[in-house]
Amino acid sequence: MIKAYKRYYVPTHDQRTGDVNGRLISVWKHYEKQREVPPKEAYVTTYHPNVIKGPHLHKTRWDYFTCIKGEVLIIVRAPDGKYYEYLSSEDSPVTVEVPANVPSATMNLSDETSIVLNLCNPAWHPDNEDNYNLEFNDYNFEKARQKYGDLKHE
């Protein structure tokens, strides 16, 4: 089952002046008990403007994707062939859980580089890349880009 978790951010403050100096996005806490499989690795990946990464499949790896800069659309194809679309952005972070054997793709909706934090299990290892490219032939990426891109301008 594919799950999405609404995350949040809180402003951070200079301890001396009280001035806002940034923000913190909570992505995972060991005590939340939401994750089917706890993460074993964390990494950050960048997405050039308007690109699509994937679709691809991991046969053993679970992924937990959260956009921390920019805006991306995470597209997941469930075992029944149905597609699910999740928006995640720095202003409205969502963590999308993608189980092993469930293919996904990520589309950068921004005109700038987006950054996605991925928590995964098992950790990537050069002896087991577990990365299989495939196609979403029955999914219209351009229609999705238009649909979600138009939401930004409303």
Side-chain angles (χ1 to χ4, degrees):
M1 177 198 276
I2 301 149
K3 298 177 185 174
Y5 308 97
K6 178 75 175 141
R7 306 314 297 167
Y8 60 90
Y9 65 85
V10 294
T12 58
H13 299 86
D14 182 297
Q15 297 298 308
R16 293 174 298 280
T17 66
D19 293 339
V20 173
N21 60 9
R23 61 184 177 177
L24 175 147
I25 299 173
S26 174
V27 176
W28 179 74
K29 296 180 178 103
H30 73 282
Y31 59 81
E32 288 181 319
K33 307 290 187 214
Q34 294 175 320
R35 310 296 191 265
E36 292 288 329
V37 176
K40 297 289 184 183
E41 177 183 19
Y43 66 86
V44 171
T45 186
T46 61
Y47 294 74
H48 292 308
N50 301 301
V51 302
I52 299 167
K53 286 193 181 185
H56 66 272
L57 171 78
H58 300 298
K59 293 182 180 179
T60 61
R61 187 174 302 123
W62 287 59
D63 289 303
Y64 300 92
F65 298 112
T66 309
C67 182
I68 58 175
K69 178 72 176 156
E71 181 176 46
V72 300
L73 179 66
I74 301 163
I75 304 113
V76 182
R77 186 172 66 199
D80 64 3
K82 184 176 178 183
Y83 290 97
Y84 294 88
E85 301 168 328
Y86 302 95
L87 278 175
S88 185
S89 70
E90 63 188 287
D91 293 323
S92 186
V94 172
T95 298
V96 179
E97 177 182 281
V98 181
N101 280 311
V102 175
S104 67
T106 305
M107 178 188 310
N108 183 359
L109 298 174
S110 302
D111 292 328
E112 298 179 7
T113 298
S114 287
I115 300 173
V116 172
L117 171 68
N118 186 21
L119 307 176
C120 61
N121 183 346
W124 180 87
H125 192 280
D127 293 339
N128 180 19
E129 293 206 17
D130 190 33
N131 192 29
Y132 304 90
N133 292 324
L134 48 88
E135 299 295 328
F136 284 177
N137 292 324
D138 54 345
Y139 183 83
N140 189 329
F141 285 96
E142 281 312 307
K143 184 176 178 181
R145 183 184 304 284
Q146 291 171 357
K147 174 183 173 183
Y148 291 101
D150 288 347
L151 291 176
K152 294 190 296 189
H153 302 294
E154 290 181 353

